[in-house]
Amino acid sequence: MKFLKKRYVYASILGLLLTGSFSYSMLKTFVIAETISTVSTTASASNTEAASKAAETATTTDSSYQDDNISVSITEKTVSNTQVYIADVTVSSSEYLKTAFAQNTYGTNVTAKTSETAANNNAILAVNGDYYGANSTGYVIRNGVVYRDTVREDASNGDLAIYKDGSFKIVYENETSADQLVADGVVNLLAFGPSLVENGEITVSTNSEVGQSMSSNPRTAIGIIDENHYIIVVSDGRTSESEGLSLYQLAEVMKSYGATTAYNLDGGGSSTLYFNGQVINKPTTNGNTISERSVSDIVYIGY
């Protein structure tokens, strides 16, 4: 009898340890924030001064921004019962197309709202990035620095490589190393996908989807039309006013505006468009509440 009681006690203790270990593992993966590297903010004193000077002479409206280096024009249209926001961006130099980490920190579960990260970096226009923090694999390259070099599980989607000259290219992690990409001139790499347009042609089918997502979703995408000429598209979704787009519909929008290369970024509740100090779309996770989701990173236009 004592032997059986001891076995029961040992089994109970082992069960508690396993449960605790599993719970901690889940918390560490999805909840507990862990700083791996603190990054110098792009909003340095010189950049802030440049942004302030530009703002003094810039011409702005609710849907446009124009200074000597940056031009942004935003239009809204309805596509397939969906509210779509199109930002046409022209810059004098690729240096004004930037990325930033939430809290200027690379790490696990380090997040902030797109609008917060955008404001902290003096962004004129910003969208959510690839939410690198939601994955444990996949290259992370920002501002020419390799933060993670493990090949992501689904490398077939391809990554968007943004080069120093501002050009775009779809690359595949199982075909090259992160260090080689930097050596080749990649300054920022976005790893979500899939690619939507390559060489001016749509690369997804009507059945393409990301993971277990619905066909109609809020979406975020970025594309290049010509040298230093970009297009950024955000669609609302999951509400009675805005159904959401499929990947193919999103690709059709990108192609219709002349994108030669276009790439799908994180979507759903993450899809957020920030412009001139405010969020101009209606981000939502379930359609019941209009609010921003905190994310790992942003792509933005600014000084």
Side-chain angles (χ1 to χ4, degrees):
M1 191 69 176
K2 290 183 179 180
F3 175 71
L4 291 175
K5 286 184 178 180
K6 285 184 178 180
R7 286 189 61 182
Y8 175 78
V9 170
Y10 292 152
S12 298
I13 293 173
L14 180 60
L16 288 171
L17 289 173
L18 290 173
T19 300
S21 177
F22 176 76
S23 298
Y24 175 75
S25 177
M26 295 297 289
L27 285 170
K28 186 174 181 180
T29 302
F30 298 108
V31 179
I32 299 173
E34 179 182 2
T35 297
I36 297 175
S37 177
T38 300
V39 183
S40 296
T41 174
T42 55
S44 63
S46 59
N47 287 347
T48 300
E49 183 179 356
S52 297
K53 287 183 178 179
E56 289 174 3
T57 58
T59 302
T60 62
T61 69
D62 289 341
S63 60
S64 66
Y65 175 97
Q66 177 80 49
D67 67 26
D68 292 338
N69 297 302
I70 296 171
S71 173
V72 179
S73 176
I74 296 179
T75 56
E76 298 180 28
K77 64 187 297 186
T78 301
V79 178
S80 301
N81 300 314
T82 299
Q83 187 70 14
V84 179
Y85 307 80
I86 302 100
D88 188 295
V89 179
T90 303
V91 292
S92 63
S93 167
S94 60
E95 67 180 295
Y96 302 115
L97 173 61
K98 300 172 177 283
T99 61
F101 289 138
Q103 303 179 43
N104 295 310
T105 299
Y106 169 72
T108 303
N109 301 313
V110 179
T111 62
K113 293 179 179 179
T114 293
S115 59
E116 293 173 357
T117 305
N120 289 338
N121 287 277
N122 298 320
I124 295 165
L125 173 79
V127 291
N128 57 287
D130 64 6
Y131 209 150
Y132 76 86
N135 302 295
S136 58
T137 60
Y139 294 168
V140 178
I141 300 174
R142 297 292 191 275
N143 301 312
V145 177
V146 177
Y147 291 94
R148 188 167 67 202
D149 60 3
T150 52
V151 176
R152 65 171 167 154
E153 294 175 4
D154 186 10
S156 62
N157 266 346
D159 299 349
L160 177 65
I162 303 176
Y163 290 80
K164 189 175 183 179
D165 64 0
S167 61
F168 285 8
K169 183 180 178 181
I170 305 301
V171 299
Y172 296 88
E173 295 182 9
N174 55 0
E175 296 179 358
T176 186
S177 69
D179 287 337
Q180 185 59 53
L181 288 171
V182 171
D184 292 340
V186 173
V187 291
N188 289 297
L189 191 77
L190 299 168
F192 196 87
S195 67
L196 302 169
V197 177
E198 292 182 54
N199 299 315
E201 298 298 327
I202 293 175
T203 53
V204 290
S205 72
T206 55
N207 296 320
S208 297
E209 196 44 88
V210 181
Q212 301 299 315
S213 295
M214 302 177 292
S215 59
S216 298
N217 264 310
R219 305 282 183 180
T220 302
I222 185 170
I224 187 169
I225 297 173
D226 204 346
E227 183 178 1
N228 292 331
H229 187 186
Y230 305 99
I231 179 171
I232 293 173
V233 171
V234 171
S235 72
D236 288 334
R238 300 176 180 172
T239 69
S240 57
E241 293 85 9
S242 187
E243 183 177 331
L245 297 180
S246 68
L247 285 176
Y248 187 80
Q249 290 168 331
L250 181 62
E252 286 184 311
V253 173
M254 300 302 279
K255 182 180 178 181
S256 72
Y257 281 88
T260 55
T261 301
Y263 191 75
N264 180 57
L265 296 173
D266 186 22
S270 298
S271 287
T272 305
L273 178 61
Y274 170 97
F275 179 62
N276 276 345
Q278 61 182 349
V279 174
I280 65 172
N281 73 314
K282 296 179 180 178
T284 182
T285 298
N286 52 28
N288 296 323
T289 304
I290 304 302
S291 63
E292 284 185 78
R293 171 190 288 171
S294 293
V295 295
S296 298
D297 58 310
I298 65 169
V299 180
Y300 75 99
I301 303 295
Y303 287 86

